Amino acid sequence: MTTSAHGIDDSVQAELNRLRESIDNIDAALVHMLAERFKCTQQVGVLKAEHRLPPADPAREARQIARLRQLAESARLDPAFAEKLLNFIIAEVIRHHERLADKPLTSGGDQEAGTSADR
């Protein structure tokens, strides 16, 4: 049995490295999926602003939370954690939608161009 300079068995260190590489890949996928989700919700926000719909939709949010809690249970993930995560995401989406609703419409009815954070 050989050990690394940190006193960790080499086979244990190799397993840690393998697992951490998987975690890093999953984190990257999560970031990309969130970016795609926000691209879609940005389009929803523009549509809501153009049609003067409210930025928040509490009934939809409640359905989404219930749905996500069920998905979490099926995936053996803590449903309370999944709900907290979705609530955080929803709050950010609503903030973006409120910002879009406050922007003046251009003559063509389209929202003025926003920052890259709005997209």
Side-chain angles (χ1 to χ4, degrees), residues 19-56:
L19 291 168
R20 288 174 175 164
E21 186 175 315
S22 291
I23 290 167
D24 291 349
N25 290 337
I26 292 165
D27 288 347
L30 285 170
V31 167
H32 288 285
M33 292 300 294
L34 281 171
E36 285 301 311
R37 188 186 197 287
F38 276 98
K39 285 178 190 174
C40 291
T41 61
Q42 185 68 13
Q43 292 173 5
V44 168
V46 169
L47 192 60
K48 285 181 172 184
E50 287 173 351
H51 296 278
R52 307 226 187 314
L53 299 170

Side-chain angles (χ1 to χ4, degrees), residues 10 12-24:
D10 287 345
V12 172
Q13 187 63 55
E15 183 68 2
L16 277 173
N17 292 344
R18 183 189 68 76
L19 291 168
R20 288 174 175 164
E21 186 175 315
S22 291
I23 290 167
D24 291 349

Side-chain angles (χ1 to χ4, degrees), residues 64-111:
Q64 285 297 95
I65 289 168
R67 180 178 156 273
L68 195 73
R69 286 185 68 91
Q70 288 178 341
L71 288 169
E73 286 178 19
S74 296
R76 299 182 191 262
L77 179 68
D78 180 4
F81 170 76
E83 182 174 345
K84 287 178 194 174
L85 179 61
L86 187 61
N87 280 328
F88 180 77
I89 292 169
I90 288 170
E92 186 68 10
V93 167
I94 291 170
R95 189 177 68 78
H96 288 193
H97 289 186
E98 289 170 344
R99 207 171 349 155
L100 285 168
D102 290 341
K103 287 183 180 178
L105 294 173
T106 61
S107 60
D110 294 335
Q111 291 288 322

